[in-house]
Amino acid sequence: MDVADNTVALVTKHCGLQLELYQKCVTQNPENWDIKCITQKRALAKCSEDNVPIIKHVKEMCDPFIKDYDACVMKNQQDPTVCLESLKRLFHCTEEHGKLPPTGPPRADAASGTSDAKAGAGYGYRGGI
């Protein structure tokens, strides 16, 4: 299982309800989901940060790039293609900081429903997610 698959598995495992509520809201509000579903989006983001260490780490390390991209998209809503360079910088940051250390993050064990907490011990995260 690669990093992305493992991350999705952990989000689904720990934040399934928040993910389901966000998906339902988006489906029910196709025209203005970005406005109508902000509460569900925030709940999913918080749960993910609290329960999936790699997400918090990447968000901390790439915060300036996230803010730059978000600001660009807000400023250029009529033509978000203007923000491709900001998006590329954000992508490169997530690629750099989303790599696993040798021990890897806690893994979702589908058979037992447990996670391997020791595997993430070497992450050095602040505040623990």
Side-chain angles (χ1 to χ4, degrees), residues 37-83:
C37 305
I38 193 75
T39 301
Q40 294 86 345
K41 179 181 178 181
R42 287 182 180 149
L44 177 58
K46 169 118 176 62
C47 181
S48 298
E49 282 186 37
D50 288 347
N51 292 287
V52 184
I54 195 77
I55 290 176
K56 183 174 184 179
H57 176 71
V58 168
K59 285 183 82 171
E60 287 175 353
M61 300 308 295
C62 299
D63 185 61
F65 300 102
I66 293 168
K67 287 178 179 172
D68 180 54
Y69 177 70
D70 286 347
C72 184
V73 170
M74 288 301 292
K75 182 179 172 185
N76 298 288
Q77 291 181 19
Q78 299 303 320
D79 185 15
T81 59
V82 171
C83 303

Side-chain angles (χ1 to χ4, degrees), residues 28-40:
Q28 292 173 346
N29 299 283
E31 299 299 317
N32 58 353
W33 62 269
D34 53 331
I35 297 166
K36 290 276 189 176
C37 305
I38 193 75
T39 301
Q40 294 86 345

Side-chain angles (χ1 to χ4, degrees), residues 3-15 19 41-63 66 90 93-94 97-101 105-106 123 125-126 128-129:
V3 176
D5 289 340
N6 191 50
T7 302
V8 170
L10 286 169
V11 169
T12 302
K13 175 184 173 191
H14 294 287
C15 307
L19 181 59
K41 179 181 178 181
R42 287 182 180 149
L44 177 58
K46 169 118 176 62
C47 181
S48 298
E49 282 186 37
D50 288 347
N51 292 287
V52 184
I54 195 77
I55 290 176
K56 183 174 184 179
H57 176 71
V58 168
K59 285 183 82 171
E60 287 175 353
M61 300 308 295
C62 299
D63 185 61
I66 293 168
L90 174 56
C93 182
T94 61
H97 294 288
K99 295 199 182 346
L100 296 175
Y123 267 56
Y125 295 115
R126 291 169 271 151
I129 314 186

